[in-house]
Amino acid sequence: MLERGSAARYASSVFFENLNDFDIYVEDTADGYSKLFAILLGRVLSSQISIERVFPLGERGKVIEAAQRAAEVEHKRKSVFIVDGDLFLLGGESKVLPENTIRLPRYCIENFLADANSFHELLDEECPDLERKTLEETFDYKGWRDSSRGALTRLFISFAVSHMLKTGIKTVSMGSNSICSNSMGDVCTEKTEWIAHEVEKSTLEKCGDEAINKSLEIIMENLNPDCCFVSTYVSGKDFILPLLFARFRTISRSKTPNILLKQRLARKCDVKALLPIVAQMEKIIGKSNLSAI
Protein backbone atom coordinates (compact mmCIF):
# COMPACT_ATOMS: atom_id res chain seq x y z
CA MET A 1 0.00 0.00 0.00
CA LEU A 2 1.14 3.53 -0.73
CA GLU A 3 2.04 5.47 2.41
CA ARG A 4 -0.28 8.32 3.38
CA GLY A 5 2.04 11.03 2.05
CA SER A 6 2.57 9.28 -1.29
CA ALA A 7 -1.14 8.51 -1.62
CA ALA A 8 -2.00 12.16 -1.00
CA ARG A 9 0.52 13.31 -3.61
CA TYR A 10 -0.89 10.79 -6.09
CA ALA A 11 -4.46 11.95 -5.44
CA SER A 12 -3.51 15.62 -5.83
CA SER A 13 -3.33 15.20 -9.61
CA VAL A 14 -7.14 15.47 -9.73
CA PHE A 15 -6.82 19.22 -9.07
CA PHE A 16 -4.76 19.68 -12.25
CA GLU A 17 -6.83 17.68 -14.71
CA ASN A 18 -7.81 20.82 -16.60
CA LEU A 19 -4.15 21.90 -16.86
CA ASN A 20 -2.50 18.59 -17.78
CA ASP A 21 -3.40 16.59 -20.88
CA PHE A 22 -2.15 13.53 -19.00
CA ASP A 23 -0.51 13.00 -15.63
CA ILE A 24 3.16 12.36 -15.03
CA TYR A 25 4.47 10.92 -11.75
CA VAL A 26 8.16 10.91 -10.74
CA GLU A 27 10.33 10.02 -7.78
CA ASP A 28 11.87 13.31 -6.63
CA THR A 29 9.98 15.05 -3.80
CA ALA A 30 12.62 17.71 -3.02
CA ASP A 31 11.65 21.37 -3.42
CA GLY A 32 11.73 22.54 -7.00
CA TYR A 33 11.87 19.14 -8.70
CA SER A 34 8.28 19.11 -9.91
CA LYS A 35 9.03 22.38 -11.70
CA LEU A 36 12.37 21.05 -12.95
CA PHE A 37 10.68 18.09 -14.65
CA ALA A 38 7.93 20.33 -16.02
CA ILE A 39 10.53 22.68 -17.57
CA LEU A 40 12.38 19.85 -19.30
CA LEU A 41 9.28 18.01 -20.50
CA GLY A 42 7.67 21.27 -21.57
CA ARG A 43 10.64 21.88 -23.88
CA VAL A 44 10.66 18.44 -25.45
CA LEU A 45 6.88 17.91 -25.74
CA SER A 46 4.81 19.48 -28.49
CA SER A 47 3.25 22.88 -27.79
CA GLN A 48 -0.08 21.14 -28.38
CA ILE A 49 0.50 19.14 -25.17
CA SER A 50 -0.09 20.82 -21.83
CA ILE A 51 1.87 19.61 -18.80
CA GLU A 52 1.66 22.29 -16.11
CA ARG A 53 2.48 20.09 -13.14
CA VAL A 54 4.48 16.90 -12.54
CA PHE A 55 3.70 14.89 -9.41
CA PRO A 56 6.47 13.48 -7.18
CA LEU A 57 5.66 10.32 -5.21
CA GLY A 58 8.91 9.47 -3.43
CA GLU A 59 11.43 6.68 -3.83
CA ARG A 60 11.46 4.32 -6.79
CA GLY A 61 9.43 1.56 -5.18
CA LYS A 62 6.54 3.93 -4.45
CA VAL A 63 6.39 5.10 -8.06
CA ILE A 64 6.38 1.52 -9.34
CA GLU A 65 3.72 0.52 -6.81
CA ALA A 66 1.51 3.42 -7.90
CA ALA A 67 2.09 2.46 -11.55
CA GLN A 68 1.06 -1.14 -10.86
CA ARG A 69 -2.10 -0.02 -9.09
CA ALA A 70 -2.96 2.33 -11.96
CA ALA A 71 -2.37 -0.44 -14.52
CA GLU A 72 -4.81 -2.73 -12.71
CA VAL A 73 -7.69 -0.26 -13.03
CA GLU A 74 -8.98 0.98 -16.36
CA HIS A 75 -8.87 4.77 -16.37
CA LYS A 76 -10.18 7.12 -19.05
CA ARG A 77 -7.32 9.45 -18.12
CA LYS A 78 -3.83 8.19 -18.96
CA SER A 79 -0.87 8.41 -16.58
CA VAL A 80 2.87 8.07 -17.11
CA PHE A 81 5.23 7.01 -14.31
CA ILE A 82 8.93 7.88 -14.59
CA VAL A 83 11.69 6.27 -12.51
CA ASP A 84 15.42 6.94 -12.47
CA GLY A 85 17.78 4.71 -14.38
CA ASP A 86 19.98 4.33 -11.28
CA LEU A 87 22.37 1.40 -11.14
CA PHE A 88 19.64 -0.67 -12.83
CA LEU A 89 20.94 0.69 -16.15
CA LEU A 90 24.05 -1.42 -15.64
CA GLY A 91 22.70 -4.29 -13.54
CA GLY A 92 19.25 -4.67 -15.04
CA GLU A 93 15.86 -4.66 -13.36
CA SER A 94 15.05 -7.40 -10.86
CA LYS A 95 11.40 -7.32 -12.07
CA VAL A 96 9.82 -6.18 -15.31
CA LEU A 97 8.55 -2.63 -14.95
CA PRO A 98 4.82 -1.95 -15.49
CA GLU A 99 3.92 -0.98 -19.06
CA ASN A 100 2.96 2.54 -17.96
CA THR A 101 6.42 3.12 -16.46
CA ILE A 102 9.40 4.74 -18.15
CA ARG A 103 12.95 4.26 -16.89
CA LEU A 104 15.15 7.25 -17.63
CA PRO A 105 17.88 6.36 -20.17
CA ARG A 106 20.39 8.06 -17.85
CA TYR A 107 21.05 7.64 -14.14
CA CYS A 108 18.69 10.44 -13.06
CA ILE A 109 17.16 13.69 -14.30
CA GLU A 110 20.26 15.67 -13.27
CA ASN A 111 22.30 13.78 -15.85
CA PHE A 112 20.46 15.62 -18.61
CA LEU A 113 21.51 18.95 -17.08
CA ALA A 114 25.26 18.23 -17.26
CA ASP A 115 25.59 20.00 -20.58
CA ALA A 116 28.71 21.97 -21.50
CA ASN A 117 26.97 24.77 -23.40
CA SER A 118 24.44 25.26 -20.61
CA PHE A 119 27.16 25.67 -18.02
CA HIS A 120 28.99 28.07 -20.31
CA GLU A 121 25.83 30.20 -20.60
CA LEU A 122 25.39 30.19 -16.82
CA LEU A 123 28.96 31.33 -16.33
CA ASP A 124 28.51 34.06 -18.91
CA GLU A 125 25.46 35.30 -17.01
CA GLU A 126 27.16 35.15 -13.61
CA CYS A 127 30.50 36.70 -14.62
CA PRO A 128 29.85 40.09 -16.25
CA ASP A 129 33.53 41.08 -16.41
CA LEU A 130 34.95 37.98 -18.11
CA GLU A 131 34.72 37.02 -21.76
CA ARG A 132 32.78 33.86 -22.55
CA LYS A 133 35.76 32.27 -24.31
CA THR A 134 37.88 32.78 -21.20
CA LEU A 135 35.15 31.26 -19.03
CA GLU A 136 34.82 28.25 -21.33
CA GLU A 137 38.56 27.64 -21.25
CA THR A 138 38.71 27.98 -17.47
CA PHE A 139 35.70 25.73 -16.87
CA ASP A 140 37.04 23.18 -19.40
CA TYR A 141 34.07 20.86 -19.26
CA LYS A 142 35.52 18.37 -21.75
CA GLY A 143 38.84 18.25 -19.90
CA TRP A 144 37.04 17.64 -16.59
CA ARG A 145 34.89 14.89 -18.07
CA ASP A 146 37.73 13.16 -19.89
CA SER A 147 40.04 13.20 -16.87
CA SER A 148 37.25 11.84 -14.65
CA ARG A 149 35.98 9.09 -16.95
CA GLY A 150 38.38 6.29 -16.00
CA ALA A 151 38.02 6.73 -12.24
CA LEU A 152 34.23 7.15 -12.36
CA THR A 153 33.84 4.12 -14.62
CA ARG A 154 35.84 1.99 -12.21
CA LEU A 155 33.83 3.32 -9.25
CA PHE A 156 30.36 2.88 -10.69
CA ILE A 157 30.97 -0.59 -12.05
CA SER A 158 32.00 -1.64 -8.54
CA PHE A 159 28.83 0.06 -7.22
CA ALA A 160 26.69 -1.72 -9.82
CA VAL A 161 28.05 -5.16 -8.87
CA SER A 162 27.36 -4.49 -5.20
CA HIS A 163 23.88 -3.24 -6.04
CA MET A 164 23.07 -6.24 -8.23
CA LEU A 165 24.07 -8.64 -5.48
CA LYS A 166 22.05 -6.69 -2.87
CA THR A 167 24.96 -6.49 -0.45
CA GLY A 168 23.66 -3.46 1.44
CA ILE A 169 27.12 -1.87 1.18
CA LYS A 170 27.12 1.93 1.08
CA THR A 171 27.88 3.08 -2.48
CA VAL A 172 26.32 6.04 -4.33
CA SER A 173 25.21 7.65 -1.07
CA MET A 174 28.90 8.38 -0.30
CA GLY A 175 28.48 11.37 -2.59
CA SER A 176 30.93 13.56 -4.43
CA ASN A 177 32.84 14.76 -1.36
CA SER A 178 34.25 11.26 -0.99
CA ILE A 179 36.18 11.56 -4.28
CA CYS A 180 36.64 15.32 -4.78
CA SER A 181 40.25 16.49 -4.76
CA ASN A 182 39.94 20.29 -4.85
CA SER A 183 37.70 23.35 -5.16
CA MET A 184 37.46 22.82 -8.92
CA GLY A 185 35.57 19.58 -8.48
CA ASP A 186 38.32 17.40 -9.93
CA VAL A 187 38.06 13.69 -9.21
CA CYS A 188 40.82 12.21 -7.07
CA THR A 189 41.95 8.95 -8.66
CA GLU A 190 43.49 7.67 -5.41
CA LYS A 191 40.32 8.25 -3.36
CA THR A 192 38.17 6.71 -6.08
CA GLU A 193 40.40 3.65 -6.37
CA TRP A 194 40.37 3.14 -2.60
CA ILE A 195 36.55 3.29 -2.41
CA ALA A 196 36.14 0.94 -5.38
CA HIS A 197 38.63 -1.48 -3.82
CA GLU A 198 36.83 -1.42 -0.45
CA VAL A 199 33.42 -1.99 -2.08
CA GLU A 200 34.82 -4.87 -4.12
CA LYS A 201 36.50 -6.41 -1.08
CA SER A 202 33.27 -6.29 0.95
CA THR A 203 31.27 -7.64 -1.97
CA LEU A 204 33.71 -10.52 -2.38
CA GLU A 205 33.45 -11.37 1.31
CA LYS A 206 29.65 -11.43 1.14
CA CYS A 207 29.08 -13.03 -2.25
CA GLY A 208 32.19 -14.76 -3.61
CA ASP A 209 34.02 -14.72 -6.94
CA GLU A 210 31.46 -16.62 -8.99
CA ALA A 211 28.57 -14.25 -8.21
CA ILE A 212 30.77 -11.22 -8.90
CA ASN A 213 31.94 -12.58 -12.25
CA LYS A 214 28.36 -13.34 -13.34
CA SER A 215 27.32 -9.82 -12.36
CA LEU A 216 30.20 -8.31 -14.30
CA GLU A 217 29.18 -10.28 -17.40
CA ILE A 218 25.64 -8.86 -17.18
CA ILE A 219 26.94 -5.33 -16.63
CA MET A 220 29.23 -5.55 -19.66
CA GLU A 221 26.28 -6.76 -21.75
CA ASN A 222 24.12 -3.84 -20.58
CA LEU A 223 26.85 -1.25 -21.07
CA ASN A 224 26.25 0.77 -24.23
CA PRO A 225 29.67 1.61 -25.74
CA ASP A 226 28.08 4.40 -27.80
CA CYS A 227 27.08 6.33 -24.65
CA CYS A 228 29.35 8.55 -22.57
CA PHE A 229 29.80 6.57 -19.35
CA VAL A 230 30.00 9.68 -17.16
CA SER A 231 26.85 11.41 -18.41
CA THR A 232 24.86 8.15 -18.64
CA TYR A 233 25.80 5.80 -15.80
CA VAL A 234 27.23 8.06 -13.06
CA SER A 235 24.78 9.66 -10.63
CA GLY A 236 24.15 13.22 -11.73
CA LYS A 237 22.51 14.09 -8.42
CA ASP A 238 25.19 12.73 -6.10
CA PHE A 239 28.36 13.09 -8.17
CA ILE A 240 28.31 14.90 -11.52
CA LEU A 241 26.40 18.08 -10.68
CA PRO A 242 27.91 18.58 -7.20
CA LEU A 243 31.39 18.37 -8.75
CA LEU A 244 30.48 20.66 -11.63
CA PHE A 245 28.77 23.12 -9.29
CA ALA A 246 31.94 23.25 -7.20
CA ARG A 247 33.84 24.12 -10.37
CA PHE A 248 31.18 26.64 -11.40
CA ARG A 249 31.15 28.41 -8.01
CA THR A 250 34.95 28.57 -7.78
CA ILE A 251 35.02 30.44 -11.08
CA SER A 252 31.88 32.57 -10.70
CA ARG A 253 31.66 33.04 -6.91
CA SER A 254 27.91 32.56 -7.39
CA LYS A 255 25.77 31.97 -4.30
CA THR A 256 22.65 31.03 -6.25
CA PRO A 257 20.94 27.98 -4.63
CA ASN A 258 21.53 24.69 -6.42
CA ILE A 259 17.87 24.11 -7.27
CA LEU A 260 17.69 27.46 -9.06
CA LEU A 261 20.84 26.64 -11.00
CA LYS A 262 19.31 23.28 -11.95
CA GLN A 263 16.14 24.96 -13.18
CA ARG A 264 18.17 27.44 -15.20
CA LEU A 265 20.18 24.58 -16.71
CA ALA A 266 16.90 22.81 -17.53
CA ARG A 267 15.89 25.83 -19.63
CA LYS A 268 19.17 25.78 -21.56
CA CYS A 269 20.34 22.15 -21.94
CA ASP A 270 20.00 20.06 -25.08
CA VAL A 271 16.77 18.06 -24.71
CA LYS A 272 17.32 15.69 -27.65
CA ALA A 273 18.45 13.03 -25.17
CA LEU A 274 14.88 13.07 -23.79
CA LEU A 275 13.35 11.96 -27.10
CA PRO A 276 13.35 8.23 -26.14
CA ILE A 277 11.18 9.20 -23.16
CA VAL A 278 8.71 10.96 -25.47
CA ALA A 279 8.59 7.89 -27.74
CA GLN A 280 7.64 5.74 -24.75
CA MET A 281 5.04 8.30 -23.67
CA GLU A 282 3.43 8.02 -27.10
CA LYS A 283 2.98 4.27 -26.59
CA ILE A 284 1.57 4.68 -23.08
CA ILE A 285 -0.77 7.55 -23.93
CA GLY A 286 -1.76 6.14 -27.32
CA LYS A 287 -0.95 9.34 -29.20
CA SER A 288 1.66 10.10 -31.84
CA ASN A 289 3.65 13.24 -32.59
CA LEU A 290 4.10 14.28 -28.97
CA SER A 291 7.61 15.58 -29.63
CA ALA A 292 8.41 19.25 -30.20
CA ILE A 293 11.66 18.34 -31.97
Side-chain angles (χ1 to χ4, degrees):
M1 294 288 290
L2 283 175
E3 294 176 2
R4 185 175 178 180
S6 298
R9 287 191 289 268
Y10 180 72
S12 69
S13 62
V14 71
F15 299 110
F16 295 86
E17 287 186 354
N18 292 330
L19 299 175
N20 287 350
D21 287 333
F22 55 91
D23 297 323
I24 299 175
Y25 299 91
V26 299
E27 294 183 44
D28 299 276
T29 59
D31 290 346
Y33 270 81
S34 176
K35 185 175 181 179
L36 176 64
F37 271 91
I39 291 168
L40 285 168
L41 294 175
R43 291 182 60 212
V44 76
L45 288 171
S46 165
S47 59
Q48 304 302 312
I49 300 297
S50 176
I51 300 293
E52 294 292 328
R53 180 76 178 268
V54 174
F55 306 99
L57 296 180
E59 54 91 15
R60 201 175 200 264
K62 293 176 183 176
V63 179
I64 293 172
E65 180 186 350
Q68 290 170 333
R69 288 163 64 87
E72 291 167 2
V73 180
E74 186 173 346
H75 292 285
K76 291 182 180 179
R77 186 175 179 83
K78 296 291 187 179
S79 297
V80 172
F81 297 80
I82 300 177
V83 295
D84 291 347
D86 284 325
L87 293 170
F88 295 99
L89 288 175
L90 290 170
E93 299 286 341
S94 55
K95 294 181 180 178
V96 176
L97 294 174
E99 291 184 356
N100 56 1
T101 303
I102 298 172
R103 184 179 73 182
L104 292 178
R106 296 184 181 182
Y107 193 100
C108 59
I109 198 66
E110 283 90 346
N111 288 67
F112 297 94
L113 307 180
D115 176 88
N117 288 332
S118 301
F119 268 98
H120 295 159
E121 285 188 26
L122 276 189
L123 282 167
D124 200 32
E125 293 169 359
E126 295 279 338
C127 305
D129 296 323
L130 294 175
E131 296 296 326
R132 175 160 174 157
K133 183 177 181 182
T134 300
L135 292 168
E136 291 179 10
E137 291 173 351
T138 305
F139 192 71
D140 190 16
Y141 178 90
K142 185 178 184 300
W144 174 87
R145 183 194 62 196
D146 291 348
S147 65
S148 305
R149 182 181 290 117
L152 290 174
T153 299
R154 168 102 168 86
L155 185 66
F156 270 76
I157 286 179
S158 72
F159 285 177
V161 171
S162 177
H163 179 259
M164 277 188 72
L165 296 176
K166 300 178 180 179
T167 64
I169 298 167
K170 186 177 180 181
T171 56
V172 179
S173 62
M174 292 182 191
S176 62
N177 285 340
S178 65
I179 64 168
C180 186
S181 65
N182 55 37
S183 63
M184 285 293 282
D186 292 320
V187 173
C188 176
T189 303
E190 290 76 17
K191 290 180 180 179
T192 308
E193 175 61 32
W194 183 85
I195 292 171
H197 174 75
E198 289 299 304
V199 169
E200 289 168 353
K201 184 172 73 172
S202 297
T203 303
L204 180 62
E205 291 171 355
K206 288 175 177 283
C207 306
D209 271 328
E210 185 176 351
I212 289 174
N213 289 334
K214 286 182 179 179
S215 297
L216 282 171
E217 287 178 10
I218 293 170
I219 288 168
M220 291 304 118
E221 289 175 3
N222 289 332
L223 189 63
N224 184 346
D226 295 327
C227 292
C228 169
F229 190 97
V230 175
S231 60
T232 304
Y233 300 111
V234 177
S235 172
K237 178 178 292 183
D238 299 294
F239 285 83
I240 299 174
L241 280 193
L243 292 168
L244 288 175
F245 280 161
R247 198 173 187 85
F248 170 83
R249 292 185 191 282
T250 295
I251 297 168
S252 67
R253 304 299 180 187
S254 172
K255 298 186 183 301
T256 304
N258 282 351
I259 186 57
L260 294 183
L261 290 176
K262 289 178 184 181
Q263 290 178 357
R264 286 167 65 185
L265 287 170
R267 292 185 175 95
K268 302 172 185 296
C269 67
D270 186 352
V271 293
K272 289 179 183 176
L274 293 167
L275 287 176
I277 298 171
V278 177
Q280 288 178 270
M281 283 184 179
E282 291 177 344
K283 293 179 182 179
I284 295 169
I285 302 302
K287 291 183 179 181
S288 58
N289 301 318
L290 293 185
S291 172
I293 302 175

